[in-house]
């Protein structure tokens, strides 16, 4: 079945370390997104990419970096510059045309201590 | 900022229709209304979307007012598995900066 895979489901890191979250999709979607969710809050957009080798900052890009070298992959790196990295991270994709809906992965819960 | 306003939480009895309201008073003529839901610790799931006509699919119905300033998502026969946070968003054509608000936490009561 086609879908979006985020791995790992839970991730633990020490403060000051960079960490990369994986997001892979086999839906042949052009657009991909990263959102952050804090407890009891909605989703906040970190980065998004409409095509390979191109991406744009969302509302809270500071302290994060992304790459889009392949259509199916959109990894997110949480750098040591991110002040409060502990959160639930969600990756999504869409066809990228017209009004196609977003398809989400099941998220990675990152804990930094 | 999100372009929509939703109640923080709602209750609905199991088997009854759940009606979730959403205000989007600043919506423009070519923005669609989308609904998603998020069950605890999972990724959001797409439910339905519409422009100005009412829409229905196997999951829900979407009623949009004539002035398009508000809409209602209807789950016709709510079950315990419908307990989730429901997000209403508006989206411009090919606008990839899709913003989510805090949504409505729906509790289905047995």
């Amino acid at each position: 079945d086609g879908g979006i895979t985020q791995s790992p489901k839970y991730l633990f890191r020490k403060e000051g370390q960079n960490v990369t979250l994986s997001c892979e999709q086999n839906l042949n979607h052009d657009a991909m997104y990263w959102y952050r969710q804090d407890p009891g809050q909605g989703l906040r957009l970190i980065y998004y990419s409409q095509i390979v080798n191109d991406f744009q900052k969302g509302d809270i890009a500071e302290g994060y970096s992304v790459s889009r070298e392949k259509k199916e992959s959109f990894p997110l790196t949480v750098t040591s510059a991110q002040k409060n990295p502990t959160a639930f991270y969600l990756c999504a994709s869409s066809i990228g045309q017209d009004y196609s809906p977003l398809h989400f992965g099941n998220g990675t819960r990152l804990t930094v201590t | 900022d999100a372009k929509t306003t939703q109640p923080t939480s709602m209750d609905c009895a199991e088997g009854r229709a759940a009606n979730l309201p959403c205000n989007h008073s600043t919506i423009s003529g070519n923005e669609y209304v989308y609904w998603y839901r998020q069950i605890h610790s999972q990724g959001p799931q797409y439910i339905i979307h519409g422009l100005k006509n009412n829409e229905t699919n196997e999951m829900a119905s979407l009623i949009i007012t004539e002035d398009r300033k508000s809409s209602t998502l209807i789950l016709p026969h709510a079950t315990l598995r419908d307990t989730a946070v429901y997000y209403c968003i508006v989206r411009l054509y090919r606008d990839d900066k899709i913003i989510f608000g805090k949504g409505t936490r729906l509790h289905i009561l047995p």
Side-chain angles (χ1 to χ4, degrees):
Chain A
D1 287 340
I4 300 178
T5 301
Q6 290 188 244
S7 60
K9 188 171 179 62
Y10 299 96
L11 193 52
F12 299 88
R13 281 293 184 270
K14 295 290 187 183
E15 191 174 335
Q17 294 179 336
N18 291 353
V19 58
T20 297
L21 281 60
S22 170
C23 178
E24 303 279 332
Q25 55 98 358
N26 60 3
L27 299 167
N28 200 32
H29 285 174
D30 286 317
M32 297 187 74
Y33 311 78
W34 275 105
Y35 288 89
R36 169 185 172 135
Q37 187 173 37
D38 293 286
Q41 303 297 310
L43 283 67
R44 292 187 290 169
L45 183 63
I46 305 173
Y47 269 99
Y48 61 102
S49 167
Q50 295 169 294
I51 57 172
V52 174
N53 292 321
D54 187 46
F55 48 82
Q56 286 77 42
K57 293 182 179 179
D59 294 327
I60 56 165
E62 185 175 350
Y64 300 97
S65 66
V66 293
S67 63
R68 188 82 188 278
E69 297 177 0
K70 298 186 297 182
K71 187 176 185 177
E72 57 270 22
S73 178
F74 191 40
L76 174 75
T77 297
V78 184
T79 74
S80 57
Q82 167 51 231
K83 302 295 184 202
N84 298 294
T86 295
F88 187 47
Y89 290 89
L90 286 156
C91 179
S93 71
S94 75
I95 294 173
Q97 301 171 11
D98 298 328
Y99 295 92
S100 55
L102 297 179
H103 296 257
F104 282 86
N106 276 327
T108 292
R109 191 166 298 279
L110 173 65
T111 302
V112 177
T113 58
Chain B
D1 290 344
K3 302 177 183 179
T4 62
T5 304
Q6 300 177 253
T8 302
S9 66
M10 293 182 62
D11 293 337
C12 179
E14 188 177 17
R16 304 297 294 269
N19 295 277
L20 291 90
C22 180
N23 286 319
H24 31 79
S25 58
T26 61
I27 193 170
S28 62
N30 52 358
E31 285 184 312
Y32 274 62
V33 179
Y34 284 76
W35 284 84
Y36 292 81
R37 72 179 182 184
Q38 185 179 23
I39 295 170
H40 183 62
S41 294
Q42 296 182 19
Q45 174 191 24
Y46 163 77
I47 301 173
I48 198 167
H49 73 280
L51 181 63
K52 55 183 178 182
N53 298 321
N54 297 338
E55 302 287 344
T56 295
N57 63 19
E58 65 278 5
M59 291 183 68
S61 294
L62 174 60
I63 308 298
I64 303 174
T65 58
E66 192 169 342
D67 64 7
R68 301 206 331 117
K69 292 185 177 182
S70 65
S71 61
T72 301
L73 179 75
I74 301 172
L75 308 177
H77 304 286
T79 71
L80 295 177
R81 288 181 294 181
D82 292 321
T83 293
V85 177
Y86 287 77
Y87 297 97
C88 168
I89 67 170
V90 295
R91 180 183 176 186
L92 192 63
Y93 176 74
R94 297 219 63 183
D95 179 4
D96 284 309
K97 192 174 181 181
I98 302 167
I99 306 298
F100 284 73
K102 294 183 180 181
T104 296
R105 186 170 298 275
L106 177 66
H107 298 100
I108 304 301
L109 307 175

